[in-house]
Amino acid sequence: MNVKQLIFVLALSFLGHFAGAQTKNKTIKGVVIDKNTNTPIEFATVIIADNTSKKPITGITTDETGVFNFTTKATNFYVEVSFIGYTSKTITDFNNANTEINLGQIFLSEEANQLEEVVVRAEKSSTEFKLDKRVFNVGKDLSSTGASAIEVLNNVPSVNVNIEGQISLRGGQGAQILINGKPSVIASQEGNALGTITADQIEKIEVITNPSAKYEAEGTTGIINIVLRKNEKAGVNGSITLNTGVPNNHSIGFSLNKRTEKFNIFSQLGVGKRTFPNTFTSLSRNKADATEITATGSGNKNEQFYNVVLGTDYHINKNNVITLSGNFAYEFENEDSESLFSENYTDNTLNRSYTRIETTEATNPKFQYELQYKKDFENNKEQNLLFSALGSFFGKDQSSEFNNTVLSGVLNSSRQQTRTDFKEAQYTFKLDYTHPISEKYTIETGGQYVLNDVTNDYAVNDFINNAWINNAGLTNIFNYNQNVLGAYVTGAYEGKKWGIKLGTRLENTNLETVLQNTNENNSQNYTNLFPSIHTSYKITPKFSLQAGFSKRIYRPRLWDLNPFFNIRNNFNIFTGNPNLQPEFTDSYEITSIHKLGKLNLNLGVYHRYTTDVIEDVSFFNETTNVTTRRPENFGTSNTTGFEANYKVGLAKWFSINGDFNYNIFNRKGQFDANNNFDFNGTRWDTKSTAKFKLPASFDLEVTTIYRSQYKTAQNLIKDNLFANLGLRKKIIKGKVILNLSVRDIFASRRFQSITDVPTFYAESDRQRGRFVTFGISYGFGKGEAMEFGASKRF
C-alpha cells in the first residue's frame, strides 16, 4: 500500500459512514496477528473495497491489541489487511448477509524479499488516551536524548518533576511509581533510584489518575507506570548509541535481541560518565533579634555508571510463555561543593563567616530479577493467567568529609565526617487472572504480596583535639520492614455504547520500624478496603464520557519515617518522623473525550478528599538559629481541579500537543496550639510541545513548561518557566539517527521557596543550568536505531 492509498483509507475511516446506500449497517471485526511471533500487530490497515471497481470504501487501523471493529453499509465488498513489511491478505470468504461479520484471527507473514537495510517504523502519537489511563510514547520525545527517567517524566502530561527530583501528579504529591506494573526499589524516589532507568530502556509511560481495584491502592494522586522496552522482532536485531554533551556527558548504549520460534533473548548495556553542576543560595532571619544567616555556594556531582539488562522469553507453545530477566546497575559517585556561610547581628555587623567544603564518595549497586509466567487459553485469547515473582535491591555505601575554614569569628569544630551504609530489598509476588464470561462481561481477580526490608546505618564524627570523636546524638541504625498483602476482584460490562467496571481490593499492611540506638519501636498493622467504580458512555463516535471513583492510600516511606538527617547545612536540617500515619484519599473524576476534525481533546474535572494529610513542618530554634523540618500528620485537604489534554495537527509539517491543569485546594489543620494551618489556595501548570517537520528530513520539537506559584502549610513556592528543545535527522534509510537535545534552553529552571512564619523568615534558591547533548544511533538487523541515549539521571 502506497502513501496515497494510506491517506485515502484514513480519510475514508472518518467519512465512510456518510457514504453508501441507506441500508442496514454491518459490523466487521477481527484481530491481526504476526504469524511468526503470535503477537498482535498494532496499526495494521484494514479496508473494505468494492468487488467491482476494486476501490476502497472505508477502513480503519488496529489498536494496540491488534483488534479492529468498524461498520459499513456496503453490500458487495471484500476485506484487505496490510502492514508495512508484511504480505497483504485479501479475505472474501465470509457471509455478506450477516449484520455482524467476525473474521477472527488474521495472520500476516513478513515479506520474504524485505530488504535488510530498510528500516520502517509505524510512528505512534506521542500521547494516547485510553479508558482509564494516558500513555506517553517515549520514542516521539526528541528532547529525551541523553536523559533518564526523571527527565522523561518531566515531559509526560499531568506529571511534574522539580529540580529536587520530587514527582507530583496533577499538582499533588504521593504518586505510586511502578516498573512494568509492579513496585520496585529501582522505581523508588528515595535516593534518586530512578536514575538507574535510562531513556533508551523506556517503551512508554502510563499515567493512571484514578486506578481500578486491579491496581494496588498505594498512591493518593494515582499511578505512574514505566513500561520498559523489550524487542521481539524475528531474527537478530540491535542498535548502538553514542552520546556526548555539555556539561560532561559521555555514554554508550548497546542493545541486542535474537528471536527464534521458541526463544526471545534480549539485552541492553549502558556505560557512561556525567557531571551535574548546581548553584544555591539561602537566607534565614530570626525575627526575635533580626539575626541573619546566609549561605551561597556551588558544586558538582560526578557519576560513572554501568547498566546491564539481560532476559529471555521461552515460548513453551503458542499459549504459554515463561520470561526470566535481570537488570544490574552500578554507580561510582563523587561530589564536591563549597559554601560560604555568614552570620550577621541585628545591626547588620558580621558575627562570623566561614567556608564549608564537602567531599563525598559513594558506590551504589542496584539490581532486580524477575520470573514471569503467562498462560493464554485456547478457546479465548482474552482469557489469561499471569504470575510474576520480582526481587530488587538498592544499596549505598557513602562517606563524606566537611572542612570548615574560618574567615572571621570562632567555630567549635572545623571538620566533620559522615558514613552511610544503606540497604533496601524488595520482593513482589503477583497473580492476575482474567476471564471473559461472554463478549460483554469480564471478571478479573488476583493478589499481590510486597515485602520491603531496609537498613540504614548512619554515623557522624567530629574532629576534636586532633582526633575523630563519634557524635552519638547524630548516629543511628534505622531498620524498616513493611509487608503489604492485597487481593482484588473486578467485574466489567462493555456494550456498544455503555460500559461499567466495579471492583474492590482488600489490603493488609504490617509495618515495623526500630531506631536501634534508642530502642524506639513503631509497629502498625491495619487492614483496609478500597472500592472502585468506572463507567463510560459513547454518545457519538466522536464524543464520549467517562467517570470514575477510587479510594487510595499513601503509606509513609522510608525517608518520611527515618529520624536521621544529613549535616550538609547545619542550619537547615530535614529529619523523618517514625510516628507518621498513612494518608487516605477518596478520588473522583469525570472526563469527556472529543474528536473534532484534526483536534483530539480531553476535558476533565476531578476532586480529591484526603485525611491525615502528611506535610513538612519547620521548627525554628531561636537560640541556635537552626531550622529543623520534618513531616507531620495534620488535618484534611479538599482539592478540586480542571484538566485539559489536547493534540492538534495544524498542517502536515506542524502539530501541537499539551495539557493544562488548574486546581483549587482547601486545607484545614491545627498542628498545635500555636500552629493553625487552615488556608485556601490555587495551583496551575501548563505544558505544550510543538513539533515541526523541516526540510531535508529534519524533525524539530520545542517544549515549554510553566508552573505557577502555590502555597503549602508554611511555604510559598515560586513560579517557574523553562523550555526544552530536540532536533532529529534520520540518514542512511533510517538506520542512523542523529539527535540534538537542549534541556532548559534559557537556564531558567529553578526551585525557589519562601517561609514567613511568626518566629523566622527564610528563602532558598537552587538551580542546575542548561544541558546540551548530541547523540548518534545505529540500528542493525531488523532492529531500529534508538532515538535517545543510554544516559544517566538528571
Side-chain angles (χ1 to χ4, degrees), residues 85-88 109-118 782:
Y86 289 77
T87 302
S88 299
S109 301
E110 291 188 76
E111 293 179 353
N113 61 347
Q114 184 180 7
L115 297 178
E116 286 284 317
E117 70 270 20
V118 178
K782 294 182 181 178

Side-chain angles (χ1 to χ4, degrees), residues 56-288:
I57 299 172
T58 188
I60 198 171
T61 58
T62 58
D63 64 15
E64 72 278 359
T65 63
V67 172
F68 62 88
N69 188 323
F70 63 107
T71 61
T72 182
K73 293 181 179 179
T75 58
N76 181 32
F77 62 88
Y78 62 90
V79 178
E80 182 176 293
V81 182
S82 63
F83 187 67
I84 297 172
Y86 289 77
T87 302
S88 299
K89 178 168 286 189
T90 300
I91 304 170
T92 57
D93 186 16
F94 52 83
N95 190 342
N96 213 342
N98 291 341
T99 57
E100 182 175 289
I101 302 172
N102 189 347
L103 300 178
Q105 293 182 339
I106 303 167
F107 292 93
L108 298 186
S109 301
E110 291 188 76
E111 293 179 353
N113 61 347
Q114 184 180 7
L115 297 178
E116 286 284 317
E117 70 270 20
V118 178
V119 179
V120 184
R121 178 182 180 183
E123 296 279 15
K124 298 181 183 180
S125 62
S126 58
T127 307
E128 299 174 76
F129 301 99
K130 300 185 179 180
L131 175 63
D132 61 345
K133 60 190 174 186
R134 278 159 291 162
V135 180
F136 178 79
N137 295 294
V138 175
K140 291 289 290 178
D141 179 27
L142 306 186
S143 61
S144 289
T145 299
S148 72
I150 292 290
E151 275 305 306
V152 173
L153 283 173
N154 211 32
N155 289 335
V156 174
S158 306
V159 179
N160 283 320
V161 184
N162 69 17
I163 201 169
E164 304 292 338
Q166 296 174 325
I167 299 170
S168 62
L169 179 57
R170 281 180 169 171
Q173 303 290 328
Q176 168 77 323
I177 313 296
L178 303 179
I179 304 294
N180 293 333
K182 293 175 275 298
S184 169
V185 298
I186 293 179
S188 171
Q189 296 184 51
E190 286 84 22
N192 291 314
L194 273 172
T196 299
I197 303 171
T198 56
D200 59 292
Q201 293 178 270
I202 302 173
E203 173 69 24
K204 59 186 177 182
I205 295 174
E206 298 176 337
V207 177
I208 310 170
T209 53
N210 208 332
S212 73
K214 180 177 181 177
Y215 297 91
E216 62 178 304
E218 176 68 34
T220 49
T221 57
I223 291 173
I224 301 172
N225 182 30
I226 300 174
V227 180
L228 301 183
R229 179 181 296 271
K230 185 177 72 173
N231 194 350
E232 291 199 32
K233 290 178 176 288
V236 177
N237 320 278
S239 58
I240 184 168
T241 302
L242 298 174
N243 284 321
T244 186
V246 178
N248 182 37
N249 174 18
H250 312 290
S251 63
I252 180 171
F254 178 75
S255 74
L256 185 65
N257 158 257
K258 182 175 183 180
R259 177 74 161 90
T260 64
E261 183 179 354
K262 288 288 186 180
F263 286 95
N264 177 51
I265 301 173
F266 51 93
S267 64
Q268 292 185 349
L269 170 68
V271 179
K273 185 175 183 180
R274 285 194 63 175
T275 298
F276 304 97
N278 70 93
T279 59
F280 51 87
T281 62
S282 66
L283 177 147
S284 178
R285 181 184 303 122
N286 186 335
K287 288 188 175 181

Side-chain angles (χ1 to χ4, degrees), residues 707-765:
R707 297 165 186 162
S708 75
Q709 177 176 283
Y710 66 94
K711 182 175 170 45
T712 67
Q714 289 182 313
N715 301 328
L716 180 68
I717 310 301
K718 302 290 287 183
D719 64 339
N720 198 203
L721 173 66
F722 60 98
N724 302 323
L725 179 147
L727 184 66
R728 179 182 71 188
K729 180 175 175 59
K730 293 184 179 182
I731 60 176
I732 314 178
K733 297 182 179 180
K735 293 198 72 69
V736 176
I737 297 175
L738 308 177
N739 292 283
L740 177 67
S741 168
V742 184
R743 295 196 299 280
D744 195 5
I745 301 171
F746 305 107
S748 58
R749 184 182 177 192
R750 60 204 308 179
F751 182 79
Q752 298 171 286
S753 68
I754 295 174
T755 306
D756 192 356
V757 295
T759 55
F760 75 100
Y761 172 88
E763 297 178 359
S764 69
D765 188 345

